Amino acid sequence: MFPKPEALLKPNTYAYESRPMVKPTGFREYDARWLFEKEINLMGMQALGMGIGTLMHERGVRPDIVVGHDFRGYSASIKMAVINGLMAAGINVHDIGLALSPMAYFAQFALDVPAVAMITASHNDNGWTGVKMGINRPLTFGPDEMGRLKDIVLNATFTLKQGGSYRYVENFPDIYIKDLTDRAKLKRPIKIVAACGNGTAGAFAPRILEMLGAEVIPLDAELDHSFPNYNPNPEDMKMLHALRDKVLEVGAEVGLGFDGDGDRCGVVDNEGEEIFADKVGVMLARDISAIYPNSKFVVDVKSTGLFNTDPVLKANGAVTDYYKTGHSYIKRRVTELNAIVGFEKSGHYFFNAPIGRGYDDGLVSAIAILDMLDRNPGKTMADLRRDLPKTWGSPTMSPHCDDEIKYGIVDKVVARFQDMKAKGEKIGGHTITDLITVNGIRVVTDDGTWGLVRASSNKPELVVVIESPASEARLHEMFKAVDAVLRENPEVGAYNQTI
């Protein structure tokens, strides 16, 4: 019998080295994230591996799984603990070593393996760890699988079997790189800055983009898991500002910023303007729907309203479905609707056939951006941005809110806005015309300005996004009004960044 995990153990004690520790809040809606050594220990990670294996048996999945790890000082040891658990459950492990998350997803297809467990904390601060998991390619776990996995692990109801095995897949990155570069080169050597934040993408992104015929200036591409300059997060303004400065310094045509595990790509244009990922999505949707008329797209509720109102997309017959934020949700929705692409404001893009395989890959996104520039030789990235109808948008802003209470706080905020609309109360001086509650609440006013409040799926935070097609002043008015409602709840803490 493997011991039942405990929620808290004191480090540097006998108990810590002898029992599994797994904090329940680490099981998120669609992946798992913990502060290593404070919220989970290596035995806890072993329990997680046993749980994944048990769930595979329950769901009738062939007992083979791809495993990889990102570039952090502790990820390799965590991966081996998970592997121990998987093998104890009778699972055959295919270890691709140091990898990007999309490299692990690609391995499910390239190695014909049904399941994946990628050890990564993505863009989270150093100290965090986590696992992105799936047992039905190209999908990753949603709330149903995560809920069942949580129940198995916390109650130690494991199905352990003989027959597990391990193999190391040598030089797997070469297979992934060949898949991305075995195509026509760019018509001209587009000059780009590739910012990697000293994360895992630094080992792969500059090389792949050079092989496609781009002129690449690497920025913070040296691997350093202390992240000495900024967190590798293309939603973080510090990373975007560093990318902007380099683009202007070297006269690049575009700046591309990759997150810690390489499944997202942020963009700065040739004039140093940081283009939020949802606006880049509209630009790509215009380009793709011109080639594939009547295209279907999926976007998350944090994204710009332009997907529904842009005249070019309308003329191309494009249809857009707004859905829940979260890489697993959008990925699943893209598959369900057979959409050609799914876009998240966070920078997760899900290119489906004929462009991709349905999972999020920051390098596939980068290649799509370069192809768009290649197809528009008379226009710069800034020109393509200016072609869009003007809106003013905020970055993703995240006030602290403890995991244990954040969903309850959002429920209160939803109820408050619903009450305001029912009573005809205005927000920021304007009438509320619509409330979208597919994921938190998106409050829309009579001039098209909107504000979103939802719970973060992977950190102890709320998420706030504002957009206005009217003016920058309206953007700030709406933020103040939405924030005033949030501040009715004293449990809501300070923002990580604001406008």
Side-chain angles (χ1 to χ4, degrees):
M1 290 289 290
F2 193 81
K4 191 173 177 179
E6 299 184 28
L8 183 64
L9 291 170
K10 186 179 177 182
N12 197 23
T13 62
Y14 177 83
Y16 187 89
E17 295 297 324
S18 306
R19 302 190 66 81
M21 176 177 69
V22 181
K23 188 179 180 182
T25 53
F27 293 94
R28 314 284 170 148
E29 288 181 50
Y30 45 80
D31 60 16
R33 304 275 175 99
W34 292 274
L35 278 167
F36 182 50
E37 295 183 327
K38 294 181 179 178
E39 298 179 347
I40 196 163
N41 61 4
L42 288 175
M43 282 191 73
M45 280 293 180
Q46 187 175 343
L48 184 70
M50 292 176 179
I52 297 167
T54 299
L55 185 61
M56 289 173 67
H57 294 313
E58 279 189 1
R59 300 291 169 96
V61 176
R62 173 162 58 89
D64 285 87
I65 192 166
V66 168
V67 177
H69 71 280
D70 68 4
F71 190 79
R72 292 177 187 253
Y74 41 80
S75 290
S77 58
I78 287 171
K79 180 183 72 175
M80 293 314 298
V82 172
I83 287 172
N84 281 342
L86 287 164
M87 291 174 63
I91 305 298
N92 304 308
V93 174
H94 305 258
D95 182 3
I96 61 171
L98 181 68
L100 303 171
S101 289
M103 196 182 295
Y105 304 149
F106 167 71
Q108 291 177 270
F109 293 87
L111 303 177
D112 189 23
V113 173
V116 64
M118 176 65 195
I119 311 304
T120 178
S122 187
H123 63 276
N124 282 26
D125 298 343
N126 220 19
W128 284 90
T129 189
V131 187
K132 293 181 177 178
M133 298 160 276
I135 54 176
N136 180 23
R137 64 191 184 197
L139 306 181
T140 41
F141 282 0
D144 173 54
E145 294 96 338
M146 287 305 301
R148 179 59 188 139
L149 179 63
K150 178 180 180 180
D151 182 60
I152 292 167
V153 173
L154 296 184
N155 292 295
T157 52
F158 305 118
T159 300
L160 304 183
K161 297 185 176 186
Q162 299 293 317
S165 67
Y166 172 89
R167 79 160 174 137
Y168 182 74
V169 186
E170 196 171 2
N171 299 322
F172 185 77
D174 293 344
I175 302 172
Y176 170 75
I177 291 168
K178 184 177 187 299
D179 182 72
L180 290 181
T181 58
D182 192 12
R183 44 154 279 169
K185 281 189 164 49
L186 299 169
K187 295 185 185 72
R188 60 188 180 83
I190 298 171
K191 189 175 184 179
I192 65 174
V193 174
C196 303
N198 304 108
T200 320
F204 309 106
R207 176 181 166 196
I208 289 169
L209 297 172
E210 282 179 353
M211 290 174 71
L212 290 168
E215 180 187 346
V216 180
I217 294 91
L219 177 64
D220 302 319
E222 306 81 10
L223 298 186
D224 185 341
H225 48 62
S226 70
F227 303 147
N229 300 295
Y230 46 78
N231 252 30
N233 178 9
E235 277 192 296
D236 189 315
M237 298 309 290
K238 192 172 181 183
M239 181 175 191
L240 288 172
H241 288 163
L243 182 54
R244 171 200 65 195
D245 294 346
K246 193 68 175 179
V247 165
L248 293 175
E249 177 194 327
V250 302
E253 296 180 59
V254 68
L256 303 171
F258 300 95
D259 74 335
D261 64 334
D263 55 13
R264 292 189 295 142
C265 179
V267 178
V268 169
D269 71 23
N270 54 295
E271 295 178 357
E273 184 80 14
E274 296 127 359
I275 315 176
F276 293 130
D278 55 342
K279 294 286 185 70
V280 177
V282 177
M283 294 159 69
L284 287 170
R286 282 178 158 197
D287 183 59
I288 290 164
S289 61
I291 301 168
Y292 306 101
N294 305 313
S295 292
K296 188 175 290 184
F297 301 100
V298 175
V299 300
D300 76 321
V301 293
K302 288 162 58 180
S303 293
T304 177
L306 287 177
F307 284 101
N308 270 346
T309 60
D310 177 56
V312 174
L313 290 181
K314 285 183 174 181
N316 291 344
V319 177
T320 299
D321 177 73
Y322 281 81
Y323 199 58
K324 294 180 182 180
T325 293
H327 65 85
S328 280
Y329 293 129
I330 302 298
K331 195 180 304 182
R332 197 169 293 260
R333 191 70 167 171
V334 165
T335 299
E336 285 173 0
L337 300 182
N338 195 29
I340 193 164
V341 194
F343 298 108
E344 261 199 296
K345 185 180 170 66
S346 64
H348 288 279
Y349 295 163
F350 308 86
F351 289 91
N352 211 350
I355 303 168
R357 295 180 177 86
Y359 54 79
D360 40 341
D361 187 331
L363 278 154
V364 173
S365 302
I367 292 166
I369 291 163
L370 296 180
D371 283 341
M372 176 176 66
L373 286 171
D374 222 24
R375 282 191 282 265
N376 291 273
K379 291 192 174 183
T380 66
M381 194 73 183
D383 292 334
L384 294 172
R385 166 179 56 80
R386 278 189 288 268
D387 283 348
L388 298 180
K390 178 69 176 174
T391 68
W392 290 263
S394 76
T396 299
M397 302 175 288
S398 300
H400 182 85
C401 193
D402 290 342
D403 283 323
E404 293 82 356
I405 63 169
K406 64 187 180 185
Y407 291 101
I409 294 295
V410 169
D411 288 342
K412 288 183 182 179
V413 172
V414 170
R416 178 77 169 90
F417 282 126
Q418 289 173 332
D419 185 58
M420 289 172 69
K421 186 174 188 296
K423 292 177 177 176
E425 292 181 33
K426 293 186 176 183
I427 181 166
H430 285 255
T431 303
I432 298 172
T433 57
D434 195 15
L435 298 174
I436 300 167
T437 56
V438 68
N439 187 202
I441 189 160
R442 181 160 161 162
V443 185
V444 185
T445 64
D446 52 20
D447 65 350
T449 302
W450 58 266
L452 171 78
V453 178
R454 57 178 287 274
S456 170
S457 300
N458 49 37
K459 293 181 81 173
E461 296 173 342
L462 302 181
V463 171
V464 178
V465 180
I466 313 291
E467 183 186 55
S468 176
S471 68
E472 188 173 7
R474 280 290 293 130
L475 173 76
H476 286 273
E477 285 173 4
M478 190 65 166
F479 173 58
K480 287 178 182 176
V482 169
D483 184 57
V485 172
L486 279 181
R487 294 302 147 195
E488 294 172 4
N489 303 279
E491 303 93 337
V492 178
Y495 286 86
N496 65 332
Q497 57 185 356
T498 61
I499 52 176

